[in-house]
Amino acid sequence: MNWQGERWTAEQVLALAPDAASQKAGGKLSSPAPWSGTGVRDGALWGLCSGSGSKPYQTVIDLSGPAYRCSCPSRKFPCKHALGLLLLWATGEPMPDAEAPPWAAEWLTGRRERAEREAASYAGARGAGDGEGAAGAGDDGAAARRRAERIEQRERRVAAGATELEQRLTDLVRDGLAGADRSGYAQWEETAARMVDAQAPGLAARVRELGAITTSGAGWPSRLLEECALLHLLSEGFQRVADLPAPLAATARTRVGLTTDTAELLATAEPVRDDWLVLGRQDSDDGKLTTRRIWLRGERTGRMALLLSFGAAGRAPELALPVGLVLDADLAYYPAARPLRAAIGRRYGTTNGGGTPAPATLSEPELAAAVAPARSAGADPDSAAHAGATRAADAAAQAPPGVDVATALAAYGTALRDDPWLDAWPVVLSQVVPVPDAATLEALAGAGAPRGGQRGGGADPTGSAARTGDDGWQLADADGELALPVDPRCTSNLWQLTAISGGAPLTVFGECGHRGFVPLTAWNGAPVALTSGARRTGP
């Protein structure tokens, strides 16, 4: 048991895996057979897993992170041994409440000592920011001056890059946008490289997005003009950043790529403590960097927050918070006109959200395959990893409070007023029904099954009122006449969402933006993280 007296579910464990192969490999180690010397105490879990070598692998897990350490050579995080041990624990397998062995205790003690030092440093830095801690003030002042000089030098480089970008945008508009699709992507990449040289990665990313618009389908010239106008607004705004209100100036700096140091943020920003519900999680990989986005909402404050974590290509980022988890912690928001991104400060504990299990990131057949080795080893079905899925299915978990379509659009509009470069805003929709587009329904009528490898799960794809979206998929208010179009760039499995709904209204979390809504999580008693389906294209 953890300190809340709860074990995790199998779905919650599998959601931590860096990839499907790790889920399968961890499932093979979810039976008691390969494990010895297991134990649990004070939010920690450990065990020895036999492998191909003469010595077993030493695996220890700090459930408060969660954080993991294993003596195996795997570069995946968490490795299959950590996943297997967590799955074994999640099944209800008895584990002795005992003192941790020296190899586990050493790592756990080191982690807790570092956490205590960080907490003390955090408190001390905040005290110094309030005028305390005069000792060393001279050294701190000199370091602050050097840092200010570096920031000023970089801002001059970014301003020079913004000036060059303005000239290139002027040339583009003067020559006309109609022929931009014939110029190829090389000119955009060259301009983006110039922005990287100017230390403005935010501008570089937006330039690359311009290059992709010309191949985005019908209506691309108008979208290109819109994005050019926003990029012009950003470059001009940064060149006049000293004249902007402080919150908008902070937003402009962030958008061009000037970020606030996380340690400095935690030391100076006012922390917001709340019970933060993990609403959604999404990983993206550009070939060089894996970016993990985790969305939270405070149960008392109602504030939304976005956590970013990064990992090298092919490696999962370290931050792993499964959907449905409730984290009692301090968050520090990065400065912005409409604060959303935040950093985690002090953590006080986690719960499963009053019994709300974390999502099933696998389909039922995939989950069954992952935990089949435990069953084949003779484990009792009632105590095997499948028990986690049973608990998830039986939990009458309350979905988070949501809003209707009109309120969601108003929330995005309010956020857009403060941050004109905002692409989308996180919202929870309640009582909505997924509605497939008319062309898809016609194809289904002729083929009798969904195309693209996406599963309908036997649900009626027309929803409860036989409505269709003429221009694409929609999420429609069950009791109203409004509907949000699904963003055509959305890669979430919409047939999975339809199957979860079964034609009935449900609660969905996602991002509401100028091109539509991107669903990420749905609640069907328990939260279900939507998997990726076939990429959709459209205007």
Side-chain angles (χ1 to χ4, degrees):
M1 297 289 176
N2 62 17
W3 59 91
Q4 284 83 20
E6 302 169 349
R7 293 195 188 225
W8 294 359
T9 66
E11 296 93 326
Q12 188 170 0
V13 173
L14 292 171
L16 301 173
D19 51 41
S22 297
Q23 291 176 329
K24 185 175 181 180
K28 293 179 179 178
L29 299 175
S30 62
S31 67
W35 292 98
S36 62
T38 57
V40 59
R41 175 174 287 186
D42 297 332
L45 183 65
W46 59 85
L48 299 173
C49 185
S50 60
S52 56
S54 58
K55 293 183 178 180
Y57 294 120
Q58 300 172 340
T59 306
V60 56
I61 301 165
D62 183 351
L63 298 169
S64 65
Y68 328 87
R69 183 181 184 276
C70 185
S71 59
C72 74
S74 174
R75 296 181 61 189
K76 294 186 177 181
F77 189 83
C79 67
K80 64 180 181 181
H81 306 100
L83 290 170
L85 182 59
L86 281 170
L87 283 170
L88 180 67
W89 172 68
T91 66
E93 178 70 21
M95 292 187 179
D97 180 1
E99 292 288 341
W103 56 267
E106 180 181 2
W107 180 76
L108 292 168
T109 300
R111 271 187 55 81
R112 286 162 187 169
E113 288 177 349
R114 285 194 299 272
E116 291 172 359
R117 288 196 300 269
E118 289 173 0
S121 174
Y122 174 63
R126 288 193 55 79
D130 293 335
E132 301 174 5
D139 292 341
D140 291 343
R145 286 193 296 272
R146 290 193 296 271
R147 183 175 180 279
E149 290 173 358
R150 289 195 299 270
I151 291 175
E152 183 180 357
Q153 184 181 35
R154 182 179 177 185
E155 288 190 350
R156 286 198 298 267
R157 291 176 180 170
V158 174
T163 300
E164 179 180 349
L165 179 59
E166 278 294 292
Q167 184 59 54
R168 298 198 176 207
L169 290 175
T170 300
D171 294 342
L172 175 65
V173 174
R174 184 191 62 237
D175 296 340
L177 300 181
D181 60 334
R182 296 191 296 271
S183 302
Y185 189 76
Q187 64 167 347
W188 303 105
E189 185 58 39
E190 191 269 337
T191 302
R194 295 288 296 168
M195 296 303 104
V196 172
D197 293 341
Q199 296 185 304
L203 294 179
R206 287 183 173 270
V207 168
R208 291 191 176 99
E209 290 175 0
L210 291 182
I213 291 176
T214 58
T215 58
S216 63
W220 67 262
S222 62
R223 291 195 295 276
L224 181 59
L225 181 60
E226 292 169 1
E227 294 301 323
C228 284
L230 283 172
L231 189 53
H232 164 72
L233 180 64
L234 179 57
S235 61
E236 285 290 317
F238 183 78
Q239 293 178 77
R240 294 168 172 77
V241 71
D243 301 327
L244 299 177
L248 186 57
T251 297
R253 287 190 176 94
T254 300
R255 293 299 182 186
V256 301
L258 297 175
T259 58
T260 302
D261 180 73
T262 301
E264 178 186 356
L265 177 74
L266 292 173
T268 58
E270 187 67 28
V272 180
R273 182 177 179 180
D274 206 337
D275 292 327
W276 300 95
L277 172 64
V278 181
L279 292 171
R281 191 177 85 173
Q282 185 180 59
D283 288 357
S284 60
D285 191 341
D286 63 2
K288 298 180 180 179
L289 192 69
T290 300
T291 302
R292 173 167 294 165
R293 294 171 174 85
I294 299 176
W295 290 268
L296 312 174
R297 184 168 69 179
E299 293 190 347
R300 294 186 297 274
T301 63
R303 296 185 66 174
M304 291 287 189
L306 172 63
L307 307 179
L308 295 182
S309 182
F310 304 94
R315 298 196 64 182
E318 182 174 351
L319 185 62
L321 299 175
V323 177
L325 200 71
V326 176
L327 179 68
D328 181 7
D330 290 335
L331 292 190
Y333 281 88
Y334 286 82
R338 174 63 59 159
L340 180 62
R341 186 186 174 191
I344 296 181
R346 184 177 179 183
R347 303 188 190 192
Y348 303 95
T350 59
T351 69
N352 273 350
T356 303
T361 56
L362 298 179
S363 65
E364 283 297 329
E366 291 166 330
L367 180 60
V371 299
R375 296 197 188 98
S376 63
D380 183 350
D382 292 333
S383 63
H386 186 66
T390 302
R391 290 196 300 271
D394 292 341
Q398 182 69 34
V403 299
D404 58 15
V405 168
T407 306
L409 288 172
Y412 172 59
T414 301
L416 192 63
R417 177 195 63 195
D418 295 332
D419 181 356
W421 305 284
L422 186 69
D423 189 55
W425 186 256
V427 295
V428 178
L429 293 174
S430 64
Q431 293 295 301
V432 292
V433 179
V435 181
D437 60 87
T440 298
L441 291 177
E442 291 176 2
L444 286 175
R451 294 183 296 179
Q454 296 181 316
R455 298 176 295 276
D460 176 8
T462 64
S464 60
R467 291 173 291 189
T468 61
D470 293 335
D471 298 322
W473 284 72
Q474 300 176 355
L475 289 173
D477 278 335
D479 300 325
E481 298 181 353
L482 297 179
L484 270 176
V486 173
D487 191 324
R489 299 168 296 180
C490 170
T491 61
S492 297
N493 191 331
L494 300 178
W495 285 112
Q496 180 190 17
L497 179 62
T498 304
I500 294 170
S501 166
L506 77 168
T507 298
V508 181
F509 166 74
E511 289 191 297
C512 181
H514 66 284
R515 298 197 66 186
F517 189 83
V518 177
L520 298 169
T521 308
W523 276 261
N524 179 25
V528 179
L530 300 179
T531 59
S532 293
R535 179 176 291 275
R536 302 174 63 242
T537 59

